[in-house]
Amino acid sequence: MSTVFSETAWLCLAVTAALGGLVLYKFKKRPGQVGRTVFCLAGFCGGAYLLSLSLFWGLILFSLSCFLVYVYLSGQELLPVDQKAVLITGGDSGIGHALSKYLDELGFTVFAGVLNEKGSGAEELRRTCSTRLSVLQMDITDPQQIKDAYSKVVQKVQNRGLWAVVNNAGILGLPADGELIPMREYKRCMAVNFFGAVEVTKAFLPLLRKSKGRLVNISSMAGGVPMVKLAAYGSSKAALTMFSAVMRQELSKWGVKVSVIQPGGFRTNIVGSSEMWDKLEKDILDHLTPDVLEDYGQDYILEQRNFVSLTQKYANPDVCPVLLDVRHAISAKRPFAFYTPGSGTYLWLCFVSYCPTGIVDYFSKKMYRRKLCFESSLPRALSVPPWKKKAT
């Protein structure tokens, strides 16, 4: 009996080793978020093995787990490029610009929608990329420009079809206390980050349904994690995240797969220029009521731009994790519904989703104070000592 058990155990061990080798081989070829998922599955398998009371059944269970992981990784294999056509919005700078170059290098036919086809970003794409890349004038808040871009895409792809749409174009708006942000900025964020993405999606969906392709929406961690100063931006990204989730369910019957990317802090040009900030600050001061201006104080309002410089200090300048996840979303046989590139992004989203609100608020306040030094800046009405208020 012991001999039979020994032979069976050795056989299970050999099968486990073989399957483990296959898993490692496939794991090394997987980009982006897949690696994190595999580590979680491997941890589960290891835990199940350690908790097993029997070596024999432990090996059986571990072998089965390795097989399931192997099947899972097989579903994450990337489809051949074959010059698949991809439309990317917001290609002037930042993630959209880098993504256009990256997908062009991989052999995709890229349509880079830009806000200004004569700008430096558009010119750089024309100069550095292959002839497969086309620059399209595409202000996503302008329905006519979207229609014109659609016509040019159809004319070029013809029977090959459009494989993927990446809604990347977005603006940060004015980071400030929600009460201070003018309604114009709330509407502007929604117009670009949400309504623009929806309109592009609706325009190009007939092509995606025909190719059974991919819709990828670039949202943000701020769309799932409440972040101070980002009421306008976070609300628009939360709307985009929910839109993506609904479309994922509705488009599944057409064979179209929908993914949403929720990046953490990456350093891009989304913060805008100094001239833009001067205009936004003037816009705030011009539209505040006397009571609100008195309570907050002009000094506090003008300090809001420090938020951007401080957050940029902790932002990651390397956007490669985002590019890898987008590539996986448009190329994998079975892409994920959600991607969370960036250090700690996934943990923060889980923390906010499952922890009591009071605990989330406490740790958020501690983190922001430690990193962004908010305790040194308070609205005028909160920073004036009580005895001074009585004296006035």
Side-chain angles (χ1 to χ4, degrees):
M1 183 68 179
S2 61
T3 304
V4 174
F5 174 79
S6 177
E7 291 177 352
T8 305
W10 278 108
L11 177 62
C12 290
L13 188 60
V15 171
T16 301
L19 289 172
L22 287 172
V23 167
L24 287 175
Y25 172 75
K26 285 190 171 290
F27 167 69
K28 287 182 179 180
K29 300 176 68 176
R30 301 280 73 78
Q33 183 169 312
V34 180
R36 294 194 292 273
T37 307
V38 171
F39 275 124
C40 292
L41 290 172
F44 171 77
C45 296
Y49 174 78
L50 291 174
L51 291 174
S52 176
L53 298 177
S54 166
L55 175 64
F56 173 76
W57 288 110
L59 288 171
I60 290 291
L61 179 60
F62 194 67
S63 298
L64 179 61
S65 300
C66 285
F67 175 73
L68 293 176
V69 172
Y70 174 79
V71 172
Y72 166 79
L73 287 177
S74 297
Q76 303 308 312
E77 289 182 353
L78 303 183
L79 300 171
V81 173
D82 292 336
Q83 294 189 9
K84 288 183 172 67
V86 179
L87 171 71
I88 303 168
T89 64
D92 303 79
S93 62
I95 292 174
H97 188 83
L99 182 62
S100 298
K101 289 183 175 181
Y102 177 61
L103 295 184
D104 175 68
E105 291 174 358
L106 293 176
F108 287 91
T109 297
V110 177
F111 295 96
V114 297
L115 185 62
N116 182 7
E117 62 179 343
K118 297 180 180 179
S120 59
E123 290 298 329
E124 184 181 348
L125 289 177
R126 293 190 188 97
R127 186 178 66 256
T128 60
C129 296
S130 72
T131 55
R132 291 187 304 272
L133 184 140
S134 301
V135 174
L136 302 177
Q137 175 60 42
M138 196 176 181
D139 180 350
I140 63 171
T141 64
D142 186 333
Q144 186 57 51
Q145 289 193 18
I146 295 175
K147 291 178 182 177
D148 293 343
Y150 174 83
S151 299
K152 292 176 181 177
V153 170
V154 170
Q155 182 180 1
K156 185 164 183 177
V157 299
Q158 296 181 358
N159 294 330
R160 288 191 295 120
L162 182 67
W163 174 251
V165 170
V166 181
N167 283 308
N168 163 78
I171 59 171
L172 182 65
L174 178 65
D177 292 40
E179 186 180 5
L180 299 177
I181 300 175
M183 282 307 301
R184 182 187 304 173
E185 283 302 300
Y186 280 101
K187 294 175 181 178
R188 196 166 73 96
C189 275
M190 290 299 293
V192 177
N193 299 343
F194 179 62
F195 292 122
V198 171
E199 190 146 8
V200 170
T201 298
K202 287 170 64 64
F204 286 90
L205 262 180
L207 298 180
L208 295 184
R209 286 192 286 104
K210 184 177 180 180
S211 66
K212 296 184 179 180
R214 308 293 168 84
L215 173 63
V216 180
N217 292 326
I218 309 293
S219 181
S220 169
M221 183 177 77
V225 176
M227 303 177 72
V228 297
K229 313 290 184 183
L230 298 180
Y233 176 77
S235 299
S236 64
K237 289 299 187 179
L240 181 61
T241 300
M242 181 56 70
F243 171 74
S244 304
V246 173
M247 295 302 290
R248 183 184 70 250
Q249 297 179 19
E250 294 178 350
L251 293 176
S252 62
K253 57 180 172 286
W254 295 98
V256 177
K257 294 178 173 59
V258 181
S259 299
V260 60
I261 315 289
Q262 295 180 281
F266 289 92
R267 194 177 302 164
T268 67
N269 294 332
I270 195 173
V271 298
S273 63
S274 179
E275 292 77 13
M276 183 202 76
W277 273 93
D278 293 338
K279 182 179 180 298
L280 291 175
E281 287 173 349
K282 184 177 183 303
D283 196 32
I284 286 183
L285 294 172
D286 290 345
H287 289 82
L288 288 182
T289 63
D291 288 345
V292 175
L293 182 57
E294 174 67 20
D295 284 344
Y296 280 91
Q298 183 169 319
D299 291 340
Y300 177 84
I301 295 171
L302 295 178
E303 285 178 359
Q304 298 305 296
R305 71 164 64 196
N306 293 336
F307 173 84
V308 175
S309 59
L310 286 169
T311 52
Q312 287 292 85
K313 175 183 176 182
Y314 294 98
N316 186 355
D318 182 13
V319 298
C320 284
V322 183
L323 306 186
L324 289 172
D325 280 352
V326 174
R327 179 194 177 190
H328 186 270
I330 66 177
S331 299
K333 290 181 179 179
R334 290 195 295 271
F336 299 124
F338 294 93
Y339 294 82
T340 56
S343 177
T345 305
Y346 180 72
L347 293 177
W348 262 109
L349 287 165
C350 289
F351 179 64
V352 170
S353 298
Y354 298 111
C355 277
T357 305
I359 296 177
V360 172
D361 290 348
Y362 174 80
F363 280 102
S364 296
K365 188 181 297 184
K366 287 289 186 182
M367 185 196 73
Y368 289 132
R369 283 183 174 177
R370 179 172 60 85
K371 285 190 174 183
L372 304 180
C373 304
F374 284 165
E375 74 274 7
S376 63
S377 176
L378 287 172
R380 179 184 178 279
L382 298 177
S383 59
V384 176
W387 62 270
K388 284 190 177 182
K389 292 182 182 179
K390 291 179 180 180
T392 56

